[in-house]
Amino acid sequence: MSEKTDILKLIIEGIQERKGKQITVVGLNDIEGAAASGFVICQGSSTMQVAAIADCVREYVQEHSGIKPYNYDGYQNSQWIVIDYGDIFVHIFLPEVREYYNLEELWSDANITEIPDLD
């Protein structure tokens, strides 16, 4: 397994640890000019859960791989937190904010994979 596959798997597991819902992996490898190779998009039901999911992803990935994000932003209001792992960006939204920005539609020509919710 490549490091990219490993970190993607760890990000998804970190989201699932905090009951993040509607996880979508957007593969951008075939999109010319894309700033990253992929996005992981999910949602939490409250600003507290959005922040908890983001914390868990950062801690889980670091604990299991030693990899820290380059940057992260959005904790001020926790409606949309983004975590930058260089090649992969993690977007954690409140449902209404996710719907408003609709990143999946924006990148509709990408390879999109839905990850089933655990419960």
Side-chain angles (χ1 to χ4, degrees), residues 15-16 18-23 49 115-119:
I15 291 167
Q16 291 172 331
R18 290 292 172 268
K19 309 283 190 253
K21 298 287 185 202
Q22 296 186 13
I23 303 169
Q49 188 186 19
I115 307 295
D117 291 343
L118 289 181
D119 53 355

Side-chain angles (χ1 to χ4, degrees), residues 63-94:
E63 180 183 324
H64 290 86
S65 70
I67 297 170
K68 292 182 180 180
Y70 291 103
N71 208 346
Y72 49 87
D73 194 22
Y75 278 93
Q76 303 85 341
N77 61 23
S78 296
Q79 294 180 2
W80 174 8
I81 295 177
V82 62
I83 307 170
D84 174 4
Y85 283 103
D87 224 18
I88 299 174
F89 287 83
V90 184
H91 298 273
I92 307 153
F93 288 100
L94 284 176

Side-chain angles (χ1 to χ4, degrees), residues 1 4 16 26 34 42 46 51-52 55 59 68-69 73 81 91 99-100 105 113 115:
M1 233 188 329
K4 194 183 303 177
Q16 291 172 331
V26 180
C42 72
S46 67
D55 287 344
E59 291 162 11
K68 292 182 180 180
D73 194 22
I81 295 177
H91 298 273
E99 196 174 309
Y100 178 81
E105 184 63 31
T113 307
I115 307 295

Side-chain angles (χ1 to χ4, degrees), residues 1-75:
M1 233 188 329
S2 72
E3 184 177 313
K4 194 183 303 177
T5 308
D6 287 345
I7 194 168
L8 188 59
K9 182 176 174 284
L10 293 174
I11 288 166
I12 292 167
E13 289 170 359
I15 291 167
Q16 291 172 331
E17 283 272 313
R18 290 292 172 268
K19 309 283 190 253
K21 298 287 185 202
Q22 296 186 13
I23 303 169
T24 302
V25 178
V26 180
L28 302 173
N29 283 331
D30 298 333
I31 309 294
E32 197 174 318
S37 69
F39 292 158
V40 179
I41 304 167
C42 72
Q43 63 193 44
S45 59
S46 67
T47 55
M48 271 179 63
Q49 188 186 19
V50 168
I53 293 167
D55 287 344
C56 189
V57 167
R58 291 175 32 233
E59 291 162 11
Y60 194 89
V61 170
Q62 186 173 348
E63 180 183 324
H64 290 86
S65 70
I67 297 170
K68 292 182 180 180
Y70 291 103
N71 208 346
Y72 49 87
D73 194 22
Y75 278 93

